[in-house]
Short mmCIF file of all heavy atoms in Angstrom, two decimals:
data_model
loop_
_atom_site.label_atom_id
_atom_site.label_comp_id
_atom_site.label_asym_id
_atom_site.label_seq_id
_atom_site.Cartn_x
_atom_site.Cartn_y
_atom_site.Cartn_z
N GLY A 1 118.09 -5.98 -38.77
CA GLY A 1 118.03 -5.89 -40.20
C GLY A 1 119.42 -5.90 -40.80
O GLY A 1 120.38 -5.45 -40.17
N VAL A 2 119.54 -6.41 -41.99
CA VAL A 2 120.81 -6.50 -42.70
C VAL A 2 120.59 -6.12 -44.16
O VAL A 2 119.58 -6.50 -44.75
CB VAL A 2 121.39 -7.93 -42.65
CG1 VAL A 2 122.73 -8.00 -43.37
CG2 VAL A 2 121.52 -8.43 -41.23
N ASN A 3 121.53 -5.38 -44.76
CA ASN A 3 121.43 -5.09 -46.18
C ASN A 3 122.49 -5.89 -46.94
O ASN A 3 123.27 -6.64 -46.34
CB ASN A 3 121.51 -3.59 -46.47
CG ASN A 3 122.86 -2.97 -46.14
OD1 ASN A 3 123.85 -3.66 -45.93
ND2 ASN A 3 122.88 -1.65 -46.07
N THR A 4 122.54 -5.75 -48.26
CA THR A 4 123.46 -6.54 -49.07
C THR A 4 124.92 -6.10 -48.91
O THR A 4 125.82 -6.80 -49.35
CB THR A 4 123.10 -6.49 -50.57
OG1 THR A 4 123.16 -5.14 -51.02
CG2 THR A 4 121.72 -7.07 -50.81
N HIS A 5 125.16 -4.96 -48.27
CA HIS A 5 126.52 -4.48 -48.01
C HIS A 5 127.07 -5.04 -46.70
O HIS A 5 128.22 -4.78 -46.36
CB HIS A 5 126.56 -2.95 -47.96
CG HIS A 5 126.03 -2.31 -49.19
ND1 HIS A 5 126.64 -2.40 -50.43
CD2 HIS A 5 124.91 -1.55 -49.40
CE1 HIS A 5 125.93 -1.73 -51.33
NE2 HIS A 5 124.88 -1.22 -50.73
N GLY A 6 126.23 -5.77 -45.95
CA GLY A 6 126.66 -6.32 -44.67
C GLY A 6 126.46 -5.38 -43.50
O GLY A 6 126.90 -5.68 -42.39
N ASP A 7 125.77 -4.25 -43.71
CA ASP A 7 125.45 -3.35 -42.62
C ASP A 7 124.32 -3.98 -41.80
O ASP A 7 123.38 -4.54 -42.36
CB ASP A 7 124.99 -1.99 -43.13
CG ASP A 7 126.03 -1.31 -44.01
OD1 ASP A 7 127.23 -1.49 -43.74
OD2 ASP A 7 125.63 -0.60 -44.95
N VAL A 8 124.42 -3.87 -40.48
CA VAL A 8 123.45 -4.49 -39.58
C VAL A 8 122.89 -3.42 -38.65
O VAL A 8 123.65 -2.58 -38.15
CB VAL A 8 124.11 -5.60 -38.74
CG1 VAL A 8 123.13 -6.22 -37.77
CG2 VAL A 8 124.73 -6.65 -39.63
N VAL A 9 121.59 -3.44 -38.41
CA VAL A 9 120.96 -2.58 -37.41
C VAL A 9 120.18 -3.45 -36.44
O VAL A 9 119.78 -4.56 -36.76
CB VAL A 9 120.02 -1.53 -38.04
CG1 VAL A 9 120.80 -0.54 -38.90
CG2 VAL A 9 118.90 -2.16 -38.83
N GLY A 10 119.99 -2.91 -35.23
CA GLY A 10 119.24 -3.67 -34.24
C GLY A 10 119.10 -2.92 -32.93
O GLY A 10 119.14 -1.69 -32.90
N THR A 11 118.99 -3.69 -31.86
CA THR A 11 118.75 -3.18 -30.53
C THR A 11 119.85 -3.67 -29.61
O THR A 11 120.21 -4.84 -29.66
CB THR A 11 117.39 -3.68 -30.00
OG1 THR A 11 116.38 -3.30 -30.94
CG2 THR A 11 117.06 -3.10 -28.65
N ALA A 12 120.36 -2.77 -28.76
CA ALA A 12 121.44 -3.15 -27.85
C ALA A 12 121.14 -2.66 -26.44
O ALA A 12 120.60 -1.56 -26.26
CB ALA A 12 122.76 -2.56 -28.32
N ASP A 13 121.50 -3.48 -25.47
CA ASP A 13 121.45 -3.04 -24.08
C ASP A 13 122.63 -2.10 -23.86
O ASP A 13 123.69 -2.26 -24.46
CB ASP A 13 121.57 -4.22 -23.13
CG ASP A 13 120.33 -5.11 -23.16
OD1 ASP A 13 119.23 -4.58 -23.36
OD2 ASP A 13 120.48 -6.33 -22.98
N VAL A 14 122.44 -1.11 -23.00
CA VAL A 14 123.52 -0.18 -22.68
C VAL A 14 123.79 -0.23 -21.19
O VAL A 14 122.90 -0.56 -20.40
CB VAL A 14 123.17 1.26 -23.12
CG1 VAL A 14 123.08 1.37 -24.62
CG2 VAL A 14 121.88 1.73 -22.48
N PRO A 15 125.03 0.06 -20.78
CA PRO A 15 125.34 0.07 -19.35
C PRO A 15 124.46 1.08 -18.62
O PRO A 15 124.15 2.14 -19.15
CB PRO A 15 126.80 0.50 -19.29
CG PRO A 15 127.34 0.26 -20.66
CD PRO A 15 126.18 0.40 -21.60
N GLY A 16 124.08 0.73 -17.43
CA GLY A 16 123.26 1.63 -16.63
C GLY A 16 122.32 0.85 -15.74
O GLY A 16 122.49 -0.36 -15.56
N PRO A 17 121.32 1.52 -15.21
CA PRO A 17 120.36 0.85 -14.33
C PRO A 17 119.66 -0.30 -15.06
O PRO A 17 119.55 -0.30 -16.29
CB PRO A 17 119.35 1.94 -13.99
CG PRO A 17 119.97 3.23 -14.39
CD PRO A 17 121.02 2.93 -15.41
N ALA A 18 119.18 -1.24 -14.29
CA ALA A 18 118.53 -2.44 -14.86
C ALA A 18 117.34 -2.08 -15.74
O ALA A 18 117.03 -2.80 -16.67
CB ALA A 18 118.10 -3.37 -13.75
N ASN A 19 116.67 -0.98 -15.48
CA ASN A 19 115.49 -0.62 -16.26
C ASN A 19 115.79 0.42 -17.34
O ASN A 19 114.88 1.02 -17.89
CB ASN A 19 114.38 -0.12 -15.33
CG ASN A 19 114.80 1.12 -14.56
OD1 ASN A 19 115.97 1.50 -14.54
ND2 ASN A 19 113.84 1.74 -13.90
N ALA A 20 117.07 0.64 -17.65
CA ALA A 20 117.44 1.62 -18.69
C ALA A 20 116.93 1.15 -20.04
O ALA A 20 116.94 -0.04 -20.34
CB ALA A 20 118.95 1.80 -18.73
N PRO A 21 116.47 2.09 -20.88
CA PRO A 21 115.99 1.70 -22.21
C PRO A 21 117.13 1.20 -23.09
O PRO A 21 118.29 1.58 -22.92
CB PRO A 21 115.39 2.98 -22.77
CG PRO A 21 115.98 4.09 -21.98
CD PRO A 21 116.37 3.53 -20.65
N THR A 22 116.79 0.36 -24.04
CA THR A 22 117.76 -0.11 -25.03
C THR A 22 118.05 1.02 -26.00
O THR A 22 117.37 2.05 -25.99
CB THR A 22 117.19 -1.31 -25.80
OG1 THR A 22 115.98 -0.92 -26.44
CG2 THR A 22 116.95 -2.51 -24.90
N HIS A 23 119.07 0.84 -26.83
CA HIS A 23 119.42 1.83 -27.85
C HIS A 23 119.49 1.16 -29.21
O HIS A 23 119.88 -0.01 -29.32
CB HIS A 23 120.78 2.45 -27.55
CG HIS A 23 120.77 3.45 -26.44
ND1 HIS A 23 121.61 4.52 -26.42
CD2 HIS A 23 120.02 3.55 -25.33
CE1 HIS A 23 121.39 5.24 -25.34
NE2 HIS A 23 120.43 4.66 -24.65
N ALA A 24 119.13 1.90 -30.24
CA ALA A 24 119.26 1.42 -31.62
C ALA A 24 120.72 1.51 -32.03
O ALA A 24 121.42 2.46 -31.65
CB ALA A 24 118.40 2.27 -32.55
N PHE A 25 121.20 0.54 -32.81
CA PHE A 25 122.59 0.58 -33.23
C PHE A 25 122.74 0.27 -34.71
O PHE A 25 121.86 -0.31 -35.34
CB PHE A 25 123.46 -0.40 -32.42
CG PHE A 25 123.28 -1.85 -32.82
CD1 PHE A 25 124.01 -2.41 -33.86
CD2 PHE A 25 122.37 -2.66 -32.16
CE1 PHE A 25 123.84 -3.74 -34.23
CE2 PHE A 25 122.20 -3.99 -32.52
CZ PHE A 25 122.93 -4.53 -33.56
N LEU A 26 123.90 0.66 -35.24
CA LEU A 26 124.32 0.34 -36.60
C LEU A 26 125.69 -0.30 -36.50
O LEU A 26 126.58 0.23 -35.84
CB LEU A 26 124.41 1.61 -37.45
CG LEU A 26 125.14 1.50 -38.79
CD1 LEU A 26 124.40 0.58 -39.75
CD2 LEU A 26 125.34 2.89 -39.40
N TYR A 27 125.85 -1.46 -37.15
CA TYR A 27 127.16 -2.11 -37.25
C TYR A 27 127.58 -2.02 -38.71
O TYR A 27 126.89 -2.53 -39.59
CB TYR A 27 127.07 -3.57 -36.80
CG TYR A 27 128.37 -4.31 -36.95
CD1 TYR A 27 129.37 -4.19 -35.99
CD2 TYR A 27 128.61 -5.11 -38.05
CE1 TYR A 27 130.58 -4.87 -36.13
CE2 TYR A 27 129.81 -5.80 -38.20
CZ TYR A 27 130.79 -5.67 -37.23
OH TYR A 27 131.97 -6.33 -37.36
N ARG A 28 128.70 -1.33 -38.94
CA ARG A 28 129.17 -1.12 -40.32
C ARG A 28 130.70 -1.06 -40.30
O ARG A 28 131.28 -0.37 -39.48
CB ARG A 28 128.62 0.19 -40.87
CG ARG A 28 129.20 0.59 -42.22
CD ARG A 28 128.68 1.91 -42.70
NE ARG A 28 127.34 1.72 -43.23
CZ ARG A 28 126.46 2.67 -43.41
NH1 ARG A 28 126.74 3.91 -43.07
NH2 ARG A 28 125.28 2.40 -43.91
N GLY A 29 131.31 -1.77 -41.22
CA GLY A 29 132.76 -1.72 -41.35
C GLY A 29 133.51 -2.14 -40.10
O GLY A 29 134.56 -1.58 -39.79
N GLY A 30 132.96 -3.09 -39.35
CA GLY A 30 133.63 -3.59 -38.16
C GLY A 30 133.43 -2.74 -36.92
O GLY A 30 134.04 -3.01 -35.88
N LYS A 31 132.59 -1.70 -37.00
CA LYS A 31 132.36 -0.82 -35.85
C LYS A 31 130.88 -0.74 -35.54
O LYS A 31 130.05 -0.69 -36.44
CB LYS A 31 132.90 0.58 -36.13
CG LYS A 31 134.39 0.62 -36.32
CD LYS A 31 134.87 2.02 -36.56
CE LYS A 31 136.39 1.99 -36.79
NZ LYS A 31 136.92 3.31 -37.02
N THR A 32 130.56 -0.70 -34.25
CA THR A 32 129.18 -0.53 -33.80
C THR A 32 129.00 0.91 -33.34
O THR A 32 129.83 1.42 -32.58
CB THR A 32 128.86 -1.50 -32.65
OG1 THR A 32 129.07 -2.84 -33.09
CG2 THR A 32 127.42 -1.34 -32.19
N VAL A 33 127.93 1.54 -33.81
CA VAL A 33 127.64 2.93 -33.47
C VAL A 33 126.22 3.03 -32.93
O VAL A 33 125.29 2.46 -33.50
CB VAL A 33 127.77 3.83 -34.73
CG1 VAL A 33 127.45 5.28 -34.40
CG2 VAL A 33 129.14 3.70 -35.34
N ASP A 34 126.06 3.74 -31.82
CA ASP A 34 124.74 4.05 -31.28
C ASP A 34 124.09 5.04 -32.24
O ASP A 34 124.65 6.11 -32.50
CB ASP A 34 124.90 4.65 -29.89
CG ASP A 34 123.60 4.88 -29.16
OD1 ASP A 34 122.56 5.14 -29.81
OD2 ASP A 34 123.61 4.84 -27.92
N LEU A 35 122.94 4.71 -32.79
CA LEU A 35 122.28 5.61 -33.74
C LEU A 35 121.94 6.96 -33.12
O LEU A 35 121.85 7.96 -33.82
CB LEU A 35 121.02 4.96 -34.31
CG LEU A 35 121.26 3.84 -35.32
CD1 LEU A 35 119.94 3.22 -35.74
CD2 LEU A 35 122.03 4.34 -36.53
N ASN A 36 121.77 7.01 -31.81
CA ASN A 36 121.47 8.28 -31.15
C ASN A 36 122.62 9.28 -31.29
O ASN A 36 122.41 10.48 -31.24
CB ASN A 36 121.13 8.05 -29.69
CG ASN A 36 119.83 7.30 -29.55
OD1 ASN A 36 118.77 7.86 -29.77
ND2 ASN A 36 119.90 6.03 -29.23
N ALA A 37 123.84 8.78 -31.51
CA ALA A 37 125.00 9.65 -31.69
C ALA A 37 125.04 10.24 -33.10
O ALA A 37 125.81 11.16 -33.36
CB ALA A 37 126.28 8.88 -31.41
N LEU A 38 124.22 9.72 -34.02
CA LEU A 38 124.24 10.15 -35.41
C LEU A 38 123.08 11.08 -35.79
O LEU A 38 123.03 11.55 -36.92
CB LEU A 38 124.21 8.93 -36.34
CG LEU A 38 125.36 7.92 -36.17
CD1 LEU A 38 125.16 6.75 -37.11
CD2 LEU A 38 126.70 8.59 -36.39
N VAL A 39 122.16 11.30 -34.87
CA VAL A 39 120.99 12.13 -35.17
C VAL A 39 120.97 13.36 -34.27
O VAL A 39 121.67 13.42 -33.26
CB VAL A 39 119.66 11.33 -35.02
CG1 VAL A 39 119.60 10.17 -35.99
CG2 VAL A 39 119.48 10.86 -33.59
N ASP A 40 120.14 14.32 -34.63
CA ASP A 40 119.98 15.54 -33.84
C ASP A 40 119.58 15.16 -32.41
O ASP A 40 118.67 14.35 -32.20
CB ASP A 40 118.89 16.40 -34.49
CG ASP A 40 118.79 17.77 -33.87
OD1 ASP A 40 118.64 17.86 -32.64
OD2 ASP A 40 118.84 18.76 -34.63
N SER A 41 120.23 15.77 -31.44
CA SER A 41 119.97 15.44 -30.04
C SER A 41 118.57 15.81 -29.58
O SER A 41 118.12 15.36 -28.52
CB SER A 41 121.01 16.09 -29.13
OG SER A 41 120.95 17.50 -29.26
N SER A 42 117.85 16.64 -30.35
CA SER A 42 116.48 16.99 -29.97
C SER A 42 115.49 15.88 -30.32
O SER A 42 114.35 15.90 -29.86
CB SER A 42 116.05 18.30 -30.65
OG SER A 42 115.95 18.12 -32.05
N LEU A 43 115.92 14.91 -31.12
CA LEU A 43 115.07 13.78 -31.47
C LEU A 43 114.91 12.87 -30.26
O LEU A 43 115.82 12.77 -29.43
CB LEU A 43 115.71 13.00 -32.63
CG LEU A 43 114.90 11.90 -33.29
CD1 LEU A 43 113.67 12.47 -33.98
CD2 LEU A 43 115.76 11.17 -34.31
N THR A 44 113.79 12.20 -30.14
CA THR A 44 113.57 11.27 -29.04
C THR A 44 114.64 10.18 -29.05
O THR A 44 115.27 9.92 -30.07
CB THR A 44 112.17 10.63 -29.14
OG1 THR A 44 111.92 9.86 -27.98
CG2 THR A 44 112.05 9.75 -30.37
N LEU A 45 114.84 9.52 -27.94
CA LEU A 45 115.78 8.41 -27.85
C LEU A 45 115.35 7.30 -28.80
O LEU A 45 114.19 6.87 -28.78
CB LEU A 45 115.83 7.87 -26.42
CG LEU A 45 116.78 6.71 -26.17
CD1 LEU A 45 118.23 7.18 -26.24
CD2 LEU A 45 116.50 6.07 -24.84
N LEU A 46 116.26 6.86 -29.65
CA LEU A 46 115.98 5.74 -30.56
C LEU A 46 116.30 4.45 -29.82
O LEU A 46 117.45 4.24 -29.42
CB LEU A 46 116.81 5.88 -31.84
CG LEU A 46 116.54 7.14 -32.64
CD1 LEU A 46 117.53 7.26 -33.80
CD2 LEU A 46 115.11 7.18 -33.14
N ILE A 47 115.28 3.60 -29.64
CA ILE A 47 115.46 2.42 -28.80
C ILE A 47 115.64 1.13 -29.59
O ILE A 47 116.08 0.12 -29.02
CB ILE A 47 114.29 2.27 -27.81
CG1 ILE A 47 112.95 2.17 -28.54
CG2 ILE A 47 114.28 3.43 -26.82
CD1 ILE A 47 111.78 1.81 -27.66
N SER A 48 115.31 1.13 -30.87
CA SER A 48 115.52 -0.07 -31.69
C SER A 48 115.56 0.32 -33.16
O SER A 48 115.03 1.35 -33.55
CB SER A 48 114.41 -1.10 -31.46
OG SER A 48 113.17 -0.61 -31.92
N ALA A 49 116.19 -0.53 -33.95
CA ALA A 49 116.21 -0.37 -35.40
C ALA A 49 115.90 -1.73 -36.00
O ALA A 49 116.42 -2.75 -35.54
CB ALA A 49 117.56 0.13 -35.88
N SER A 50 115.04 -1.75 -37.01
CA SER A 50 114.57 -3.04 -37.52
C SER A 50 114.89 -3.30 -38.98
O SER A 50 114.71 -4.42 -39.44
CB SER A 50 113.06 -3.16 -37.32
OG SER A 50 112.39 -2.10 -37.96
N GLY A 51 115.35 -2.29 -39.70
CA GLY A 51 115.63 -2.52 -41.11
C GLY A 51 116.59 -1.50 -41.67
O GLY A 51 116.63 -0.36 -41.21
N ILE A 52 117.37 -1.94 -42.65
CA ILE A 52 118.26 -1.04 -43.37
C ILE A 52 118.27 -1.49 -44.83
O ILE A 52 118.38 -2.68 -45.13
CB ILE A 52 119.69 -1.04 -42.78
CG1 ILE A 52 120.59 -0.04 -43.52
CG2 ILE A 52 120.29 -2.43 -42.74
CD1 ILE A 52 121.92 0.23 -42.82
N ASN A 53 118.15 -0.52 -45.75
CA ASN A 53 118.17 -0.88 -47.17
C ASN A 53 119.55 -0.62 -47.75
O ASN A 53 120.47 -0.17 -47.05
CB ASN A 53 117.05 -0.16 -47.94
CG ASN A 53 117.22 1.33 -48.00
OD1 ASN A 53 118.29 1.88 -47.79
ND2 ASN A 53 116.12 2.03 -48.29
N ASP A 54 119.72 -0.89 -49.02
CA ASP A 54 121.03 -0.74 -49.66
C ASP A 54 121.45 0.71 -49.85
O ASP A 54 122.60 0.99 -50.15
CB ASP A 54 121.06 -1.49 -51.00
CG ASP A 54 121.05 -3.00 -50.79
OD1 ASP A 54 121.41 -3.46 -49.68
OD2 ASP A 54 120.70 -3.73 -51.75
N LYS A 55 120.53 1.65 -49.67
CA LYS A 55 120.87 3.08 -49.70
C LYS A 55 121.32 3.56 -48.33
O LYS A 55 121.70 4.71 -48.17
CB LYS A 55 119.67 3.91 -50.15
CG LYS A 55 119.27 3.67 -51.59
CD LYS A 55 118.08 4.53 -51.95
CE LYS A 55 117.65 4.29 -53.38
NZ LYS A 55 116.47 5.10 -53.74
N GLY A 56 121.22 2.69 -47.31
CA GLY A 56 121.61 3.06 -45.96
C GLY A 56 120.50 3.65 -45.13
O GLY A 56 120.72 4.08 -44.00
N GLN A 57 119.28 3.70 -45.67
CA GLN A 57 118.15 4.23 -44.91
C GLN A 57 117.75 3.21 -43.84
O GLN A 57 117.66 2.01 -44.13
CB GLN A 57 116.97 4.51 -45.82
CG GLN A 57 117.25 5.62 -46.82
CD GLN A 57 116.15 5.75 -47.85
OE1 GLN A 57 115.76 4.77 -48.46
NE2 GLN A 57 115.66 6.97 -48.01
N ILE A 58 117.51 3.72 -42.64
CA ILE A 58 117.23 2.86 -41.49
C ILE A 58 115.86 3.17 -40.93
O ILE A 58 115.49 4.34 -40.79
CB ILE A 58 118.30 3.09 -40.40
CG1 ILE A 58 119.68 2.71 -40.94
CG2 ILE A 58 117.96 2.31 -39.13
CD1 ILE A 58 120.83 3.16 -40.05
N VAL A 59 115.11 2.14 -40.58
CA VAL A 59 113.84 2.30 -39.87
C VAL A 59 114.14 2.07 -38.39
O VAL A 59 114.67 1.02 -38.01
CB VAL A 59 112.78 1.29 -40.35
CG1 VAL A 59 111.52 1.41 -39.50
CG2 VAL A 59 112.47 1.51 -41.81
N ALA A 60 113.83 3.08 -37.57
CA ALA A 60 114.10 3.01 -36.13
C ALA A 60 112.86 3.44 -35.35
O ALA A 60 112.06 4.24 -35.83
CB ALA A 60 115.28 3.90 -35.78
N ALA A 61 112.75 2.90 -34.14
CA ALA A 61 111.64 3.24 -33.26
C ALA A 61 112.16 4.11 -32.12
O ALA A 61 113.25 3.87 -31.58
CB ALA A 61 111.00 1.98 -32.69
N GLY A 62 111.36 5.12 -31.77
CA GLY A 62 111.72 6.01 -30.68
C GLY A 62 111.04 5.61 -29.38
O GLY A 62 110.05 4.89 -29.38
N LEU A 63 111.58 6.11 -28.29
CA LEU A 63 111.01 5.87 -26.97
C LEU A 63 109.58 6.39 -26.89
O LEU A 63 108.77 5.90 -26.12
CB LEU A 63 111.89 6.53 -25.91
CG LEU A 63 111.57 6.26 -24.45
CD1 LEU A 63 111.66 4.78 -24.13
CD2 LEU A 63 112.49 7.06 -23.55
N ASN A 64 109.25 7.37 -27.74
CA ASN A 64 107.92 7.97 -27.77
C ASN A 64 106.89 7.14 -28.55
O ASN A 64 105.76 7.55 -28.72
CB ASN A 64 107.99 9.38 -28.35
CG ASN A 64 108.47 9.40 -29.78
OD1 ASN A 64 108.77 8.37 -30.37
ND2 ASN A 64 108.57 10.59 -30.35
N GLY A 65 107.30 5.98 -29.08
CA GLY A 65 106.38 5.12 -29.80
C GLY A 65 106.30 5.40 -31.30
O GLY A 65 105.58 4.72 -32.02
N GLN A 66 107.00 6.42 -31.78
CA GLN A 66 106.99 6.78 -33.19
C GLN A 66 108.06 6.02 -33.96
O GLN A 66 109.08 5.63 -33.40
CB GLN A 66 107.25 8.28 -33.35
CG GLN A 66 106.21 9.15 -32.71
CD GLN A 66 104.87 9.05 -33.41
OE1 GLN A 66 104.78 9.10 -34.63
NE2 GLN A 66 103.81 8.91 -32.63
N LEU A 67 107.82 5.81 -35.26
CA LEU A 67 108.82 5.23 -36.15
C LEU A 67 109.49 6.34 -36.93
O LEU A 67 108.84 7.33 -37.29
CB LEU A 67 108.19 4.23 -37.12
CG LEU A 67 107.64 2.96 -36.50
CD1 LEU A 67 106.98 2.11 -37.58
CD2 LEU A 67 108.74 2.18 -35.81
N TYR A 68 110.77 6.17 -37.23
CA TYR A 68 111.55 7.17 -37.96
C TYR A 68 112.29 6.48 -39.10
O TYR A 68 112.75 5.35 -38.95
CB TYR A 68 112.57 7.85 -37.04
CG TYR A 68 111.91 8.61 -35.92
CD1 TYR A 68 111.59 7.99 -34.71
CD2 TYR A 68 111.60 9.95 -36.08
CE1 TYR A 68 110.97 8.68 -33.69
CE2 TYR A 68 110.97 10.66 -35.06
CZ TYR A 68 110.66 10.01 -33.86
OH TYR A 68 110.04 10.71 -32.86
N VAL A 69 112.42 7.18 -40.22
CA VAL A 69 113.27 6.72 -41.31
C VAL A 69 114.49 7.64 -41.30
O VAL A 69 114.36 8.86 -41.49
CB VAL A 69 112.56 6.78 -42.67
CG1 VAL A 69 113.52 6.38 -43.79
CG2 VAL A 69 111.35 5.87 -42.67
N LEU A 70 115.65 7.06 -41.06
CA LEU A 70 116.89 7.81 -41.02
C LEU A 70 117.57 7.68 -42.37
O LEU A 70 117.76 6.57 -42.85
CB LEU A 70 117.79 7.27 -39.91
CG LEU A 70 117.15 7.12 -38.53
CD1 LEU A 70 118.14 6.50 -37.56
CD2 LEU A 70 116.64 8.44 -38.02
N THR A 71 117.91 8.80 -42.98
CA THR A 71 118.55 8.80 -44.29
C THR A 71 119.95 9.37 -44.15
O THR A 71 120.10 10.49 -43.64
CB THR A 71 117.73 9.65 -45.28
OG1 THR A 71 116.41 9.10 -45.37
CG2 THR A 71 118.36 9.64 -46.66
N PRO A 72 120.97 8.64 -44.58
CA PRO A 72 122.34 9.13 -44.44
C PRO A 72 122.59 10.34 -45.34
O PRO A 72 121.98 10.48 -46.39
CB PRO A 72 123.22 7.95 -44.87
CG PRO A 72 122.34 7.07 -45.68
CD PRO A 72 120.94 7.32 -45.22
N ARG A 73 123.48 11.20 -44.88
CA ARG A 73 123.89 12.35 -45.69
C ARG A 73 124.73 11.86 -46.83
O ARG A 73 125.50 10.91 -46.72
CB ARG A 73 124.71 13.33 -44.85
CG ARG A 73 123.91 13.98 -43.78
CD ARG A 73 124.76 14.94 -43.07
NE ARG A 73 124.06 15.41 -41.87
CZ ARG A 73 124.60 16.11 -40.92
NH1 ARG A 73 125.89 16.42 -40.99
NH2 ARG A 73 123.91 16.48 -39.89
N GLN A 74 124.60 12.50 -47.96
CA GLN A 74 125.38 12.13 -49.14
C GLN A 74 126.71 12.81 -49.14
O GLN A 74 126.94 13.84 -48.74
CB GLN A 74 124.61 12.45 -50.40
CG GLN A 74 123.32 11.69 -50.51
CD GLN A 74 123.52 10.17 -50.56
OE1 GLN A 74 124.48 9.68 -51.12
NE2 GLN A 74 122.63 9.45 -49.92
#
């Protein structure tokens, strides 16, 4: 997903075993960040992100099959 600010979200392979799950990522301002590093560690592993709006809210899917809406802190 891409918003009008040029922020991009998606799915990335991570180093590890061949069957390791993918991780959701955010690309903003020339830097890529694993979304799992931005949320509470008690949340399930975020394996993909499919959309981001102009407010920075992200739709991400967890390893548990649930969808999450991530809202940035103001």
Side-chain angles (χ1 to χ4, degrees):
V2 181
N3 66 14
T4 61
H5 304 294
D7 301 326
V8 178
V9 295
T11 304
D13 291 327
V14 294
N19 61 348
T22 58
H23 284 212
F25 76 86
L26 166 65
Y27 177 81
R28 173 183 282 161
K31 296 181 182 181
T32 302
V33 179
D34 186 330
L35 287 176
N36 292 287
L38 302 178
V39 298
D40 188 307
S41 61
S42 67
L43 188 64
T44 187
L45 180 71
L46 299 173
I47 58 171
S48 66
S50 58
I52 182 168
N53 65 20
D54 290 340
K55 294 180 181 179
Q57 295 172 309
I58 298 168
V59 175
L63 187 60
N64 62 0
Q66 298 292 314
L67 292 177
Y68 297 88
V69 176
L70 310 177
T71 301
R73 293 182 190 169
Q74 298 299 325

